[in-house]
């Protein structure tokens, strides 16, 4: 009886491994640098609603700031809406400025510039999309790199 269980276990294990080895994982990964692309390309890739997960960097280069319930929505008509815990903190038009960006290898890029509802300025470089993660960073020397996923 033990021998039959042992043989059965080996056969089932081999069949299971064979089945999983035949399955291919669908890879929808998107890896694209955006700061060196034309404005229309940048806008088309960021259009939609994104969830902000964390920011990394700033004065402390390895510091992490996690965000809960923060969403950014980019509309086709150059509008941005930012909400935090259900409250809309930014609802305005983006002013795209072509200039030298920080962390863009000295390349000029389109800088996303706007003011929030309190009048504070915001200037971001749309850096890239890696897998499903959009990365924006502040256009400053001690930039924070913000990581989003699309909803």
């Amino acid at each position: 009886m033990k021998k039959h269980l042992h043989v059965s276990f080996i056969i089932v294990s081999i069949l299971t491994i064979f089945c999983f080895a035949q399955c291919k994982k669908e890879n929808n990964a998107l890896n694209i640098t955006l700061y060196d692309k034309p404005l229309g390309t940048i806008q088309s890739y960021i259009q939609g609603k994104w969830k902000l997960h964390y920011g990394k960097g700033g004065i402390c280069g390895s510091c992490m700031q996690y965000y809960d319930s923060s969403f950014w929505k980019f509309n086709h008509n150059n509008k941005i809406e930012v909400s935090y815990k259900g409250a809309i903190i930014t609802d305005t038009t983006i002013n795209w400025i072509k200039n030298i960006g920080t962390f863009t290898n000295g390349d000029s890029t389109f800088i996303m510039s706007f003011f929030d509802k309190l009048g504070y300025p915001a200037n971001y470089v749309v850096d890239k999309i890696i897998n499903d993660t959009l990365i924006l960073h502040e256009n400053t020397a001690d930039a924070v790199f913000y990581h989003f996923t699309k909803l």
Side-chain angles (χ1 to χ4, degrees):
M1 177 75 171
K2 276 187 168 183
K3 185 176 181 180
H4 289 292
L5 284 175
H6 183 68
V7 171
S8 298
F9 178 76
I10 291 174
I11 291 172
V12 169
S13 298
I14 290 172
L15 288 174
T16 303
I17 291 170
F18 179 76
C19 287
F20 283 111
Q22 297 303 313
C23 298
K24 288 187 178 180
K25 183 178 178 185
E26 188 175 321
N27 188 359
N28 291 329
L30 174 65
N31 293 311
I32 184 169
T33 300
L34 291 170
Y35 70 79
D36 59 353
K37 303 294 185 275
L39 181 57
T41 302
I42 295 170
Q43 290 171 321
S44 69
Y45 276 99
I46 68 170
Q47 187 174 14
K49 189 171 184 180
W50 297 82
K51 180 177 180 6
L52 174 59
H53 294 280
Y54 66 92
K56 182 177 180 185
I59 293 174
C60 169
S62 62
C63 292
M64 301 278 285
Q65 171 68 45
Y66 293 95
Y67 295 90
D68 184 31
S69 302
S70 183
F71 301 94
W72 292 37
K73 187 162 103 178
F74 300 98
N75 295 328
H76 65 280
N77 56 355
N78 239 8
K79 300 233 352 153
I80 183 169
E81 182 181 291
V82 178
S83 64
Y84 179 66
K85 293 191 176 184
I88 296 175
I89 59 175
T90 302
D91 186 10
T92 190
T93 302
I94 299 168
N95 183 23
W96 293 95
I97 302 165
K98 181 129 181 157
N99 203 342
I100 299 294
T102 54
F103 305 103
T104 58
N105 300 319
D107 291 342
S108 63
T109 188
F110 288 96
I111 297 167
M112 182 180 6
S113 180
F114 57 89
F115 292 88
D116 69 11
K117 285 191 167 192
L118 296 175
Y120 294 112
N123 295 291
Y124 296 99
V125 173
V126 180
D127 195 348
K128 58 187 146 198
I129 296 176
I130 298 177
N131 297 323
D132 66 342
T133 303
L134 169 66
I135 301 173
L136 304 179
H137 65 78
E138 299 167 331
N139 194 40
T140 60
D142 289 325
V144 174
F145 286 72
Y146 298 96
H147 297 251
F148 301 79
T149 54
K150 195 163 193 176
L151 299 177

